[in-house]
Amino acid sequence: MGRRVVVVGAGQAGASLTAKLRDLGHDGSIALIGDEPDPPYQRPPLSKKYLLGEMERERLYLKPERFYAEHDIALIKGEPVIGIDRSRQEVITAAQRVPYDVLALTTGSRPRLLPKEMGGDLEGVYAVRTLADTDAMADAFRPEHRVLIVGGGYIGLEAAAVARARGLHTVLIEAAPRILGRVAAPETADYFRALHRNNGVDLREGVGLRRLVGDGRVREAHLADGAVLEIDFAVIGIGIDPAAELAEAAGLTIDNGIAVDGRCQTSDPAIFAAGDCASFPWEGGRIRLESVQNAIDQAEHAAAVIEGAETDYRPVPWFWSDQYAARLQIAGLNTGYDRIITRPGLREGSQSVWYFRGERFLAVDAMSDPKSYMQGKRWLEAGASPPPDALADPDRALKSLV
């Protein structure tokens, strides 16, 4: 009889891992346990098409629910895991103990919430992470409503784009000196700042939130610069943290998430981890990637190792963000860059930002410029670097550079 595999976390990574196991011919039992009532679903559309009402709930599902039964995957929904008994190799929920030979943790991440003392417990204060979050706030996105968005990262900017598309009065504040300060170059931030202001967002940088005030429901936002805004609701997009509490309580090594090796194994060789919750070796250090691409690829790599593969996980990261009619596509990681090159795109309103460390090409941000994104991704996959000075010449075709 084959080994029993239990996967905790029914998101993108969990769904990918279980499906890949069956694709690879795993002949033991598979159980996928999630704490939400829905089957695994896509998260990126939650802050875009689903919130806009352009996507039905069932279209979010990664697979039709019948897929799991047809592939002999026991899908356990709405049942939070409360512990892991490593000595007995059992996963513990409030209702049952599920035995495993191999356990995979794909618990994802959770949004950072506004503290209670800052008004985080008021009605009308929302985060964007789950279907329940989006369903709760959907009715607030009415024309002429006034929304405050806290945080100038991709989640906040995407929420602002949806708000303006629905005709809301939108203020976005970022406590840091500029938007996208942690993830992108000033040139990319300049592009999106102009995009949002041109679409009517009141975007304020270097302005933090002091507190939200209300009578049970949020009514005002008191900003750090002394401004007081009347608002109907607020969306908090101040980052996410890995959901590593189960692993930590079970005594697994934690290092910016659940620490795994190149084979996606934790400090317990019977337990794997993948997706937003897992940090893995990268260029002499350790990183954690928050992306759909990583959730799929790392989970599928873990499945392959469970079935006997010996290779280490070496991704070429890619990301995307849709805002208004613009699509940002990112290939690579810009960590440690010391040089930026900006190229205009072929179409009006398109451009690309290229990151280098010395002569080594690291990443590209392509704004409505899919050709630059695809070329940059190919170079990264091949380990190639275009000459920076030649790349800086807009008259030189990208394909001619390497």
Side-chain angles (χ1 to χ4, degrees):
M1 184 176 178
R3 292 180 298 168
R4 300 165 296 182
V5 177
V6 175
V7 181
V8 176
Q12 181 77 68
S16 299
L17 198 157
T18 55
K20 189 66 173 180
L21 281 173
R22 286 297 186 226
D23 285 346
L24 293 172
H26 180 77
D27 60 357
S29 66
I30 301 175
L32 176 58
I33 307 175
D35 58 4
E36 296 185 61
D38 291 278
Y41 58 84
Q42 306 172 66
R43 294 191 188 274
L46 294 180
S47 60
K48 298 182 277 284
K49 288 188 175 182
Y50 184 72
L51 188 54
L52 281 168
E54 297 175 355
M55 181 180 252
E56 295 178 356
R57 191 183 194 90
E58 288 71 22
R59 287 183 57 207
L60 289 173
Y61 296 163
L62 295 167
K63 304 281 187 182
E65 192 158 359
R66 65 179 183 276
F67 169 88
Y68 302 95
E70 290 170 352
H71 290 78
D72 198 19
I73 298 169
L75 177 60
I76 303 171
K77 301 180 297 179
E79 197 165 321
V81 171
I82 58 177
I84 300 168
D85 186 335
R86 290 170 55 195
S87 62
R88 298 180 64 176
Q89 293 198 182
E90 292 178 336
V91 168
I92 306 166
T93 76
Q96 60 183 313
R97 297 176 75 99
V98 185
Y100 67 85
D101 297 307
V102 177
L103 172 62
L105 300 176
T106 56
T107 47
S109 55
R110 57 176 51 89
R112 294 172 189 155
L113 303 178
L114 202 63
K116 181 178 179 179
E117 58 269 24
M118 293 180 65
D121 61 340
L122 292 170
E123 186 180 348
V125 180
Y126 304 108
V128 186
R129 192 62 184 169
T130 67
L131 257 170
D133 292 333
T134 304
D135 288 343
M137 75 174 75
D139 190 54
F141 276 78
R142 300 178 184 176
E144 302 304 318
H145 265 194
R146 300 158 300 182
V147 58
L148 172 70
I149 297 171
V150 182
Y154 291 123
I155 288 293
L157 294 174
E158 289 171 1
V162 170
R164 288 302 302 140
R166 296 294 295 269
L168 281 74
H169 300 287
T170 306
V171 178
L172 184 148
I173 61 171
E174 168 55 58
R178 66 171 176 85
I179 59 171
L180 302 177
R182 190 174 58 88
V183 295
E187 291 82 350
T188 298
D190 291 345
Y191 179 95
F192 284 100
R193 181 187 304 108
L195 178 68
H196 280 273
R197 286 179 171 162
N198 289 341
N199 278 277
V201 175
D202 181 354
L203 194 158
R204 309 184 189 188
E205 295 164 301
V207 178
L209 175 68
R210 183 170 296 157
R211 64 182 179 277
L212 300 175
V213 177
D215 51 2
R217 181 176 183 84
V218 65
R219 302 297 181 188
E220 292 180 345
H222 294 211
L223 307 186
D225 63 0
V228 176
L229 307 178
E230 292 186 4
I231 61 173
D232 295 295
F233 69 105
V235 177
I236 310 301
I238 54 178
I240 61 176
D241 293 311
E245 296 84 357
L246 269 178
E248 186 171 14
L252 302 179
T253 299
I254 305 298
D255 184 354
N256 183 30
I258 306 169
V260 300
D261 61 16
R263 289 159 47 85
C264 305
Q265 285 179 295
T266 70
S267 52
D268 181 334
I271 303 178
F272 292 72
D276 284 9
C277 67
S279 67
F280 60 93
W282 178 267
E283 298 188 354
R286 180 168 289 278
I287 63 168
R288 188 173 56 82
L289 294 177
E290 301 165 0
S291 73
V292 171
Q293 168 264 332
N294 179 67
I296 296 171
D297 292 351
Q298 192 177 28
E300 291 188 346
H301 191 90
V305 172
I306 291 170
E307 292 302 295
E310 298 287 343
T311 57
D312 283 348
Y313 179 56
R314 294 294 300 171
V316 175
W318 54 267
F319 315 84
W320 82 92
S321 176
D322 293 325
Q323 299 170 42
Y324 309 104
R327 164 161 279 201
L328 167 66
Q329 294 171 286
I330 303 169
L333 291 176
N334 63 24
T335 306
Y337 74 90
D338 56 23
R339 184 175 184 181
I340 289 292
I341 291 171
T342 302
R343 283 176 63 100
L346 298 177
R347 296 179 297 175
E348 183 179 356
S350 64
Q351 70 177 56
S352 54
V353 175
W354 303 77
Y355 299 83
F356 286 81
R357 182 166 61 238
E359 298 294 308
R360 181 187 171 193
F361 170 52
L362 299 177
V364 59
D365 297 341
M367 283 73 85
S368 299
D369 190 356
K371 289 186 177 180
S372 291
Y373 164 74
M374 289 304 302
Q375 185 61 69
K377 190 168 183 286
R378 291 190 192 103
W379 285 336
L380 290 166
E381 290 169 344
S385 291
D389 290 339
L391 182 66
D393 182 355
D395 294 326
R396 295 284 299 272
L398 290 174
K399 290 184 178 180
S400 73
L401 299 184
V402 174

